[in-house]
Amino acid sequence: MDNEGTHARGARGAQPPDGRPGSSVPRPAGPPPAIPPGPPPVAPPAFPPTVPPPAVEPYALTPPGRHRTTGTAPPTADWLNAPRPDSDPGVWRYAYVPRPAERAPRPSLVGPAATLILWLLLWLLLTERAVPYVFKPIEIITGPEWWAFGGLRDDAPPLVVNSTTLYYQVLVLALGFWAARIGGWARLFRYYAGERLDRARFVVSAAGALLTVWLVWTRRVPLADVLLPAVPTSWMQGGGNQYAALFVSIVLYALIGTAIVWPFARTGQWSTELGPFLARLRKQEPEQPQAAPAQTRTAPAQAGPAPADWPELRAAGRVDAAEALTAAVRTGRMNDVDCVRLRHAWAVARTRPDRLESFTETVLRKGAGAYLHPSGHRDLPLRTAPHDPLTGQVRIGDCADDPRNPYPRRGSGMALEPASLGTSLLAVGPPGSGKTAGVVRPVIESLAIRALTGQAAVLAVGGAGAQLGPDDAYDVVVRIGDPASVHDFDLYGGTTDPDEAAIALAEGLAGDIPGLDSRRAGTVLGQLLGPYRTVHGTFPGVPELRELLEGSVTALAGLRQALEAGGHHAMLRELDARARQAGGAGDPAAVLADRIAVLDRPAFAGFFSTGEDARPFSLRSLEQHPLRVRIDLPERAHAEASRVLARLVLAQFNAVTAARSDRSLFICLVLDDATHAVTAETVRGIRRLRSVNAGAVLALRTLDDVPEALHTALLGSVGCNMAFSGVSTWDGKRFAEVWGKEWVEVREVAQHGVFADQPLTRALHALRKLATGKAVTTDAVTVRQVERERWSASGLAYELPAGHAVLSLTTVEGEHAPPLLVTLGG
């Protein structure tokens, strides 16, 4: 068959190589799906509101994602080339730009203004020579004979006059530096310069250097007039050589200019600012008379090759395949799922050198339709959230601009991805808080898109009508209790081992019963399932299993006779052991029979069949195929049966993921309502999921839906916890314990009365109290570090606005993100 590159490995309905029953996915007979010539048409995207309504409007499906500001979808090439920098767990990486550093509070203008006025006043007093004894140092230096009555004499030589002027100018400048230091002028300058501090410092220092040079050159600052007379006359005259004298003068002026400019250059960091500019000038200088072509002189805007040009293929020598895919991307014949699917196919082909030629031939022959998912789909029929298939992320909202969130994370997009889901996610919130529409369904869509690229398998479990997506978005839809359902459900998980089937079935039937050991219940079931399979070749259906558990004489006698006739002595010992234990103290058979009776209802007649005409779907199919599966439970009419089946699915999922040998696919179970589905054994299984490239998403209305003894174990087993608005204080207390405490700085201000001893001070205090009505006090400020809860129980219960949740994340690599306040659907 000519299907090379059209379907991924293990197409649905095919018998697996190991021949194990139940690992294939049944499907009604019919022609294979036609490969569409291009990406499916899409509708304009529409983001969900803050509080998603029950009926979700469609989101954009075409290529890449959505520009939230313009409302348009960028082309596939722009989406593929968009930067995705590495960041903290949970950050929406598509076109992510880190937030600028937190700006310090605006400093007060009172201090700088007061010191400026004081400096100007002192400048005026010094100019008028009104400050006594200030002239004494310069009088000693220049000689007292040129001073009379505190001032210079009229016949003082120019050198003395210039030295005195320069002395007062240096004194004014020193007072200016003192005023700037006391008044915090530098802090004010840094605040208003903001992010352009380096550029502003360069401009101000350059302006200061030019102004100073101009003042010295025009001799308003007589620096040269003071220094030049100190040079020996023979140097200046150059021995009668005017050129030598000119040279000495130029050197002296150059030294003076350098001495003036150097402090400004050091302060303004001119080398840092001018270095890149000078380097660019040097690069633009032509080395040869013949200039290079314009396209070679223009440096590319990005650091490396554009991902839309498929540089990985070009580096491997597959230029023809790279050109074909580049043309498909540029012309819009590929969407985001196509790009990721082919990138994954190339990554797989590189591990097998014998497949490189096949990959090139398939891409050249089929283009964007190469290596399609077994369903033939190239996208989901509906998206309700922004997705980035390249990173596997789905955006569920934004980090709120709240003081309880770290400053760098405020306003950034919040996303979930396989790296976080691999540690499992527990979402707790009352009905209507946004669990399904805000988290569960976006996660299912993200995993379904990843399944279309051949990298994941998803199993979504919820009640009928739970709004987990249209049927066209799934490969298998199991509607338990619906006669129109194409697939049945395999109670035994597709295994042929009676003990393995018994353990999972016992967990589903009786795992929530306090005081009942599920291992003992599994032993009872194994004593019946093994003999029955040995005789009939299949496991018993629900009616037959119920009769065996109830101890039906007819059923047990017929089974015994068949075993004796076949000479199956080992299975006869199992049946004899069951007969000896039946009816004894603590025998769980009666409880198991009562629980299996909830599945032995007319609505489920033939639904759990195990004969030749059965159409069971087995969870074991997930370990080989990138499937999208949804199981609808009859919660409204058969609540108890739905709980039994939910526990059974969770137990089978743990068993299947732990036993699979090929762990290249990420497998995730999404349980929309995990009420009474969590048991002690399944909690142990959830803890092991991260080591087998699998994860689980469990949604609960309240933690009370889980036995109290399992609260701590469940919260400790999952790496991601999410509390929605409306949780109770009891639930909030558990989350507060999980999230722990942090060190915070506490500032305490205490006011103390001021008692004056002097009569004038007491009079002033009395006058102030009479005017303000308050006694004169002083503030005593104490700053200390204390340990406080990140989120308190009352804060989670009463301070979360509607449409918000608190989410903490952990990745499979061990990275952590603190609990963050998230605006859902932001």
Side-chain angles (χ1 to χ4, degrees), residues 111 114 355 384 448 494 508 520:
R355 294 185 179 181
T384 60
R520 186 171 182 181

Side-chain angles (χ1 to χ4, degrees), residues 396-458:
I396 61 173
D398 295 329
C399 285
D401 191 2
D402 188 271
R404 286 168 290 197
N405 285 341
Y407 177 82
R409 295 298 301 271
R410 298 175 194 172
S412 63
M414 199 69 193
L416 295 175
E417 56 186 326
S420 299
L421 298 177
T423 63
S424 298
L425 168 66
L426 178 64
V428 180
S433 58
K435 297 191 304 297
T436 300
V439 175
V440 172
R441 181 165 178 178
V443 167
I444 294 174
E445 290 178 359
S446 175
L447 295 171
I449 292 175
R450 202 161 182 82
L452 292 178
T453 64
Q455 303 179 72
V458 56

Side-chain angles (χ1 to χ4, degrees), residues 90 169 250 311 337 387 565 624 714 755:
Q169 289 175 346
I250 294 175
V337 179
H387 295 271
Q624 294 184 352
L714 176 61
F755 300 96

Side-chain angles (χ1 to χ4, degrees), residues 708-720:
E708 185 176 359
L710 297 178
H711 287 180
T712 302
L714 176 61
L715 291 171
S717 298
V718 298
C720 307

Side-chain angles (χ1 to χ4, degrees), residues 142 145-146 152-164:
T142 57
E145 64 273 11
W146 306 113
L152 283 174
R153 293 171 50 183
D154 295 338
D155 57 345
L159 181 61
V160 174
V161 176
N162 293 331
S163 300
T164 304

Side-chain angles (χ1 to χ4, degrees), residues 751-757 761-762 765-766 768-769 775-779:
Q751 292 185 340
H752 302 281
V754 178
F755 300 96
D757 297 331
T761 307
R762 286 199 298 268
H765 287 184
R768 179 177 175 180
K769 182 177 181 180
V776 178
T777 60
T778 183
D779 293 340

Side-chain angles (χ1 to χ4, degrees), residues 491-492 499-511 521-522 525 529 540 545 549 592 596 599 644 648 651-652:
L491 291 177
Y492 304 102
D499 293 332
E500 182 181 347
I503 292 174
L505 184 58
E507 198 64 35
L509 293 177
L525 288 172
L529 297 181
L545 181 58
L549 289 173
L592 294 173
I596 200 67
L599 301 180
V644 170
L648 182 58
Q652 289 184 1

